[in-house]
């Protein structure tokens, strides 16, 4: 059985008090309603991580949204994987399309960040996905293969087995335009096939692949029912406790 995960990505939202308040609501609601094996994770801004990891316990796990590739040093304003781990985080998002687009993060840099995360026992949630142009001109399988090859296929099988992947089509992020369950399943199946070609069937079958992009309580059930979709990476809907927990509950229904 693959690990099922619903992870919220708060992005650059919520000040400290707002974050604590929303997170406390989420923890209480998830505690009441969580029945299955699925994991709930919240990936919050750095300022929240220390407090949230203490409040979340094993009910809601905590992740960061980025890390630096070096362990320490003269990198003013940056946060290392070691620091993130030291406040009790278990996950870190790497290669979100907003980081690729606004901070020019390359596949090579993302490979280094992934290695830094793994070295510090953080689970990378590694994001891949095509733009609208790449979807329309039919190059999306090639784009995804390039992102996988440059970002994570340099890892040993042992290290790769710890990675969670997230397919987030850029055109579906924050736009209200969700990929249909068929479109998402097609790409998830392709990703799993590429993992099998690189690391073998057994590892491919064990890899958790999340879908992200305008996922909400209304469309989550159909998306998560697809054979190769193992949960979601949720942006906007993770800022509302009821919506996020309803998406978590989808696995129970
Ligand atoms: P939305 O759910 O707001 O579309 O964002 C998805 C996302 O980018 C999660 O990382």
């Amino acid at each position: 059985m693959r690990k099922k995960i619903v992870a919220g990505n708060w992005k650059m939202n919520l000040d400290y008090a707002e974050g604590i308040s929303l997170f406390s609501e989420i923890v209480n609601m998830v505690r009441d309603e969580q029945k299955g094996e699925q994991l709930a994770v919240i990936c919050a801004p750095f300022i929240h991580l220390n407090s949230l990891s203490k409040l979340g316990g094993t009910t809601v796990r905590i992740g960061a949204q980025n890390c630096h590739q070096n362990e320490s040093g003269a990198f003013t304003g940056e946060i290392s994987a070691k620091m993130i781990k030291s406040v009790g985080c278990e996950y870190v998002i790497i290669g979100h399309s907003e980081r690729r687009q606004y901070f020019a993060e390359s596949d090579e840099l993302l490979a280094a960040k992934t290695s830094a995360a793994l070295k510090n026992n953080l689970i990378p949630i590694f994001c891949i996905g095509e733009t609208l142009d790449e979807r329309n001109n039919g190059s999306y399988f090639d784009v995804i293969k390039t992102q996988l090859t440059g970002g994570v296929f340099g890892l040993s099988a042992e290290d790769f087995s710890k990675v969670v992947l997230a397919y987030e089509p850029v055109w579906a992020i924050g736009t209200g335009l969700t990929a249909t369950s068929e479109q998402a399943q097609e790409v998830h199946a392709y990703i799993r096939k590429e993992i099998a070609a690189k690391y073998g069937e057994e590892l491919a079958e064990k890899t958790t692949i999340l879908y992200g992009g305008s996922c909400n309580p209304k469309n989550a059930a159909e998306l998560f029912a697809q054979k190769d979709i193992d949960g979601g990476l949720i942006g906007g809907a993770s800022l509302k406790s009821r919506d996020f927990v309803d998406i978590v509950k989808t696995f129970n229904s």
Side-chain angles (χ1 to χ4, degrees):
M1 263 294 270
R2 292 194 279 272
K3 223 189 305 167
K4 307 283 186 191
I5 299 176
V6 175
N9 174 10
W10 284 356
K11 307 192 179 181
M12 194 175 75
N13 292 296
L14 307 175
D15 68 17
Y16 184 72
E18 290 166 343
I20 297 292
S21 164
L22 173 61
F23 187 76
S24 304
E25 280 173 33
I26 289 174
V27 172
N28 288 331
M29 290 161 78
V30 168
R31 194 178 283 130
D32 288 347
E33 295 179 11
Q34 198 171 27
K35 298 187 198 83
E37 290 292 300
Q38 78 284 4
L39 286 172
V41 178
I42 289 290
C43 298
F46 292 128
I47 61 148
H48 295 106
L49 300 178
N50 187 37
S51 302
L52 299 196
S53 71
K54 287 168 185 68
L55 284 171
T58 54
T59 309
V60 180
R61 319 292 170 122
I62 306 302
Q65 299 171 12
N66 177 36
C67 68
H68 195 268
Q69 63 276 21
N70 286 78
E71 193 101 341
S72 63
F75 302 101
T76 301
E78 290 293 316
I79 305 272
S80 71
K82 187 172 179 212
M83 293 169 181
I84 292 167
K85 183 69 185 179
S86 75
V87 292
C89 282
E90 293 176 62
Y91 293 83
V92 58
I93 297 174
I94 308 255
H96 192 282
S97 62
E98 289 149 16
R99 300 285 325 167
R100 293 177 187 263
Q101 185 182 350
Y102 305 132
F103 301 92
E105 294 195 350
S106 64
D107 290 332
E108 192 187 1
L109 175 67
L110 297 173
K113 290 188 176 206
T114 303
S115 294
L118 289 166
K119 190 165 162 229
N120 286 284
N121 295 314
L122 288 170
I123 298 170
I125 301 178
F126 191 87
C127 302
I128 52 183
E130 79 283 1
T131 63
L132 188 58
D133 278 353
E134 292 159 348
R135 162 69 45 180
N136 289 339
N137 70 22
S139 64
Y140 54 101
F141 288 130
D142 290 341
V143 169
I144 285 159
K145 182 158 186 185
T146 302
Q147 291 172 337
L148 285 170
T149 305
V152 285
F153 280 180
L155 295 170
S156 66
E158 194 194 336
D159 274 346
F160 183 82
S161 71
K162 297 168 190 154
V163 172
V164 170
L165 293 175
Y167 169 57
E168 296 208 311
V170 179
W171 49 272
I173 295 178
T175 57
L177 263 185
T178 320
T180 64
S181 50
E182 292 78 19
Q183 284 173 322
Q185 167 57 27
E186 181 192 36
V187 176
H188 281 234
Y190 172 76
I191 294 168
R192 207 175 296 288
K193 184 170 75 70
E194 289 300 316
I195 299 169
K198 172 73 191 169
Y199 293 107
E201 284 290 340
E202 200 184 325
L203 194 39
E205 278 307 311
K206 283 191 185 146
T207 305
T208 297
I209 311 175
L210 311 180
Y211 168 79
S214 299
C215 189
N216 60 44
K218 289 201 178 72
N219 60 29
E222 192 183 330
L223 285 161
F224 298 173
Q226 303 304 308
K227 181 172 159 289
D228 290 295
I229 301 182
D230 307 310
L233 185 53
I234 320 296
S238 72
L239 296 169
K240 295 185 193 124
S241 53
R242 185 70 268 160
D243 283 1
F244 181 70
V245 176
D246 280 349
I247 296 172
V248 173
K249 266 171 56 184
T250 301
F251 281 123
N252 298 329
S253 54

